[in-house]
Amino acid sequence: MTNSSLAIKKTSYIILTIILNTSIVYSCRLWGVVELFNNSITNNDNTYQIIQSESIFFKSLGNNYPNGWSLSCYNVNAELSGVYRSELTADIDSMYQFIFDSLSHLPDTTTKLIGHLRIASSGATGIPNPHPFIYNYNNKNYSLIHNGTLNKEILLDLITENGSDSTWIYNNPPHTYNEFPWYSDSGWVNVIDSELYFLWIMKNITENTESELISLMNALQQLETVSQTSTKNIIFSDGEHMYAYRSENSDNPNLFYSNMDSFTYQDTLYTPTFLSIISQIPTIEPASLLNWTPFNNESLLFVNNAVNYEMFENFINHPPTITLD
């Protein structure tokens, strides 16, 4: 091997290392909280303090996510009762703490909080964080936040049945954040892959006669078939339920959840009444005291705020087995 070839190979290795490290450190961050049994987030002082410490930790990550943050919430009636988006980084935006306090103390009692920190990998930049994407169907406001990058052409092929029928996407167009339509060159470059991912899921839910859970699973199965190595981590909700799915080509999970295990907090035994989902385990107390469990790859967490939660695994590329009523 010549010196020049070795130099090229070495340079390529350095560039690849930088890209890989960047994808690990600088992928969007997701955060979701569900109060079980229809409790509100402020129903218990200890609960609120723990969730608040999650929020403080989430905000502290903002320096690495230059394309803004968002917070949204659902109330006890499963209504999307607050959405706030910012183009500033969360760590320096003075509105972050104010919005968190406002959403968690809404008079209609918040039962779910959803947060997103963005570093753009596709679509429009220089805009307030567009997550969560929202779709109204059957008097429900569905929402989705995504961590990862997907091929937009693959998603478009799925939505249009390989280009044979574009009716659904013409009736449910993705945003371009400019004056150009999504199907134009100037519009398509600004379409965000995460929204197309969301629209693919919603097409399955609106057109299938199966349950919402089965429709979501079917959408994920088909997407995994045609896009096996892309990162598809999401938190998805219809207001009544929350779903979280991990799929990424990495042994280092970018999604964790906290369970109901008791622990000692402020000299008493505390049992959580809520479940949290987050991309990065908090390092500050009391959030760090929760029992955080990593998602296995290609696993789907289903949370019913009136009952409990269940993890579905091994359903990709074969029919899912559902045990819920």
Side-chain angles (χ1 to χ4, degrees):
M1 181 179 293
T2 66
N3 289 337
S4 59
S5 298
L6 183 59
I8 292 171
K9 185 175 182 180
K10 192 177 210 180
T11 302
S12 300
Y13 175 79
I14 293 171
I15 292 172
L16 178 60
T17 302
I18 292 171
I19 292 172
L20 291 175
N21 287 338
T22 301
S23 67
I24 293 171
V25 177
Y26 296 104
S27 54
C28 295
R29 302 289 86 177
L30 313 180
W31 176 44
V33 178
V34 183
E35 265 287 352
L36 301 177
F37 316 112
N38 278 327
N39 289 319
S40 69
I41 283 174
T42 56
N43 186 56
N44 178 287
D45 286 343
N46 287 344
T47 295
Y48 176 70
Q49 290 172 22
I50 295 169
I51 294 173
Q52 185 179 47
S53 72
E54 290 183 22
S55 174
I56 292 170
F57 171 75
F58 194 67
K59 175 185 177 182
S60 73
L61 302 176
N63 182 57
N64 290 327
Y65 303 92
N67 300 114
W69 58 274
S70 67
L71 288 175
S72 55
C73 70
Y74 287 92
N75 64 22
V76 70
N77 297 316
E79 299 165 333
L80 190 64
S81 54
V83 179
Y84 187 88
R85 300 180 173 95
S86 175
E87 60 184 316
L88 303 177
T89 60
D91 58 315
I92 65 169
D93 195 337
S94 60
M95 289 297 293
Y96 179 93
Q97 187 60 44
F98 174 78
I99 295 300
F100 170 78
D101 291 339
S102 299
L103 295 183
S104 56
H105 287 87
L106 285 175
D108 52 4
T109 59
T110 293
T111 60
K112 296 177 185 65
L113 271 172
I114 299 171
H116 187 273
L117 304 176
R118 186 185 187 218
I119 180 166
S121 60
S122 81
T125 58
I127 60 171
N129 187 346
H131 299 252
F133 300 97
I134 299 168
Y135 189 104
N136 184 271
Y137 174 67
N138 273 354
N139 297 317
K140 293 181 180 181
N141 276 315
Y142 290 80
S143 65
L144 176 141
I145 57 176
H146 171 223
N147 159 8
T149 302
L150 285 161
N151 185 298
K152 294 194 294 186
E153 281 73 18
I154 287 176
L155 289 164
L156 183 61
D157 282 346
L158 284 171
I159 294 170
T160 62
E161 300 177 21
N162 291 318
S164 66
D165 187 351
S166 300
T167 305
W168 196 91
I169 195 170
Y170 274 109
N171 292 330
N172 303 273
H175 295 83
T176 61
Y177 310 94
N178 59 30
E179 68 274 22
F180 299 103
W182 67 268
Y183 47 81
S184 68
D185 289 343
S186 298
W188 180 249
V189 72
N190 263 16
V191 170
I192 296 172
D193 61 335
S194 302
E195 185 173 16
L196 291 173
Y197 186 3
F198 181 41
L199 291 177
W200 165 241
I201 291 172
M202 291 311 306
K203 184 176 189 290
N204 279 264
I205 290 174
T206 58
E207 291 188 342
N208 292 345
T209 57
E210 300 280 4
S211 69
E212 184 178 287
L213 176 60
I214 292 292
S215 297
L216 173 60
M217 285 180 159
N218 287 337
L220 295 173
Q221 285 180 323
Q222 293 180 65
L223 179 57
E224 292 288 2
T225 299
V226 295
S227 182
Q228 297 176 5
T229 60
S230 55
T231 300
K232 312 174 192 70
N233 300 340
I234 57 170
I235 296 177
F236 173 76
S237 182
D238 66 352
E240 295 180 21
H241 315 103
M242 185 177 283
Y243 307 84
Y245 179 64
R246 179 202 167 204
S247 176
E248 51 191 330
N249 190 28
S250 171
D251 294 329
N252 299 312
N254 259 322
L255 213 56
F256 304 83
Y257 70 96
S258 64
N259 62 20
M260 308 294 111
D261 287 356
S262 302
F263 59 90
T264 301
Y265 177 53
Q266 295 186 341
D267 299 325
T268 61
L269 189 65
Y270 170 78
T271 301
T273 61
F274 67 95
L275 183 146
S276 292
I277 304 157
I278 201 163
S279 295
Q280 196 167 327
I281 296 176
T283 56
I284 62 174
E285 292 188 2
S288 61
L289 300 176
L290 292 164
N291 184 31
W292 293 99
T293 303
F295 278 64
N296 290 327
N297 204 29
E298 296 182 346
S299 60
L300 175 68
L301 179 68
F302 170 81
V303 188
N304 183 340
N305 62 310
V307 186
N308 214 305
Y309 65 92
E310 184 166 351
M311 183 70 79
F312 296 97
E313 298 180 293
N314 302 317
F315 67 91
I316 296 299
N317 298 327
H318 56 80
T321 301
I322 306 298
T323 58
L324 292 174
D325 293 333

XYZ file of all heavy atoms in Angstrom, residues 34 36-37 258-263 270-276 291 308-309:
159
model
N -45.928 9.553 31.617
C -47.339 9.183 31.694
C -47.681 8.922 33.148
O -47.086 8.056 33.796
C -47.648 7.907 30.878
C -49.140 7.600 30.927
C -47.183 8.056 29.457
N -50.002 7.161 35.578
C -50.928 6.040 35.509
C -52.156 6.295 36.375
O -52.153 7.168 37.257
C -50.222 4.762 35.947
C -48.991 4.377 35.116
C -48.327 3.133 35.683
C -49.360 4.163 33.658
N -53.211 5.546 36.100
C -54.469 5.624 36.852
C -55.096 7.017 36.776
O -55.816 7.428 37.689
C -54.245 5.216 38.312
C -53.383 3.993 38.469
C -52.118 4.082 39.017
C -53.839 2.756 38.016
C -51.317 2.956 39.137
C -53.031 1.634 38.143
C -51.779 1.732 38.699
N -38.640 3.984 32.878
C -38.613 3.751 34.321
C -39.843 2.946 34.707
O -40.946 3.202 34.207
C -38.602 5.079 35.080
O -39.795 5.804 34.850
N -39.655 1.975 35.603
C -40.799 1.164 36.007
C -41.338 1.609 37.366
O -41.010 2.683 37.861
C -40.428 -0.327 35.995
C -39.318 -0.649 36.979
O -39.054 0.093 37.921
N -38.650 -1.770 36.764
N -42.144 0.740 37.996
C -42.834 1.117 39.233
C -42.106 0.651 40.490
O -42.684 0.655 41.576
C -44.241 0.523 39.248
C -45.070 0.823 38.015
S -45.475 2.563 37.837
C -44.476 2.977 36.407
N -40.842 0.253 40.372
C -40.107 -0.230 41.543
C -39.969 0.875 42.588
O -39.651 2.024 42.269
C -38.709 -0.713 41.147
C -38.755 -2.034 40.399
O -39.859 -2.592 40.269
O -37.695 -2.497 39.939
N -40.188 0.513 43.853
C -40.091 1.467 44.955
C -38.637 1.771 45.285
O -37.741 0.952 45.055
C -40.788 0.910 46.199
O -42.142 0.628 45.944
N -38.407 2.950 45.836
C -37.077 3.329 46.302
C -37.231 4.350 47.423
O -38.303 4.938 47.621
C -36.223 3.891 45.158
C -36.801 5.110 44.490
C -36.497 6.391 44.931
C -37.646 4.973 43.391
C -37.030 7.513 44.312
C -38.177 6.094 42.765
C -37.878 7.358 43.226
N -40.901 5.328 48.504
C -41.759 5.944 47.487
C -41.966 4.961 46.345
O -41.021 4.363 45.837
C -41.128 7.236 46.962
C -41.817 7.807 45.752
C -42.999 8.521 45.870
C -41.296 7.605 44.464
C -43.651 9.033 44.757
C -41.934 8.116 43.345
C -43.108 8.829 43.498
O -43.745 9.326 42.392
N -43.226 4.792 45.932
C -43.559 3.948 44.786
C -44.087 4.835 43.665
O -45.111 5.515 43.848
C -44.623 2.902 45.146
O -44.133 2.090 46.213
C -44.934 2.023 43.937
N -43.411 4.881 42.515
C -43.849 5.757 41.420
C -45.269 5.425 40.958
O -45.656 4.259 40.902
C -42.834 5.494 40.306
C -41.632 4.949 41.016
C -42.161 4.165 42.175
N -46.012 6.460 40.647
C -47.340 6.303 40.047
C -47.305 6.697 38.573
O -48.345 6.881 37.955
C -48.372 7.184 40.770
O -47.970 8.557 40.644
C -48.480 6.796 42.234
N -46.104 6.846 38.046
C -45.945 7.285 36.669
C -44.853 6.478 35.991
O -44.046 5.798 36.646
C -45.589 8.780 36.616
C -44.232 9.103 37.184
C -43.119 9.210 36.365
C -44.058 9.269 38.556
C -41.868 9.490 36.886
C -42.810 9.557 39.084
C -41.718 9.663 38.257
N -44.825 6.536 34.684
C -43.782 5.899 33.880
C -43.152 6.961 32.999
O -43.848 7.788 32.423
C -44.383 4.782 33.044
C -43.424 3.956 32.181
C -43.908 2.508 32.099
C -43.346 4.531 30.763
N -41.827 6.939 32.921
C -41.095 7.886 32.085
C -40.336 7.145 30.990
O -39.879 6.014 31.188
C -40.105 8.704 32.917
O -40.775 9.566 33.804
N -35.783 3.332 38.597
C -35.191 2.126 38.017
C -35.316 2.200 36.497
O -36.366 1.911 35.921
C -35.892 0.879 38.546
C -35.244 -0.399 38.032
O -34.042 -0.442 37.789
N -36.040 -1.427 37.845
N -51.976 0.131 33.040
C -50.564 -0.143 33.279
C -49.828 -0.089 31.949
O -50.222 0.628 31.053
C -50.393 -1.508 33.963
C -49.226 -1.520 34.923
O -48.117 -1.198 34.527
N -49.472 -1.893 36.168
N -48.787 -0.913 31.810
C -48.000 -0.899 30.580
C -47.589 -2.314 30.210
O -47.591 -3.221 31.041
C -46.761 -0.015 30.737
C -45.755 -0.504 31.758
C -44.694 -1.323 31.388
C -45.867 -0.147 33.105
C -43.772 -1.770 32.307
C -44.952 -0.585 34.037
C -43.906 -1.398 33.643
O -42.998 -1.842 34.578
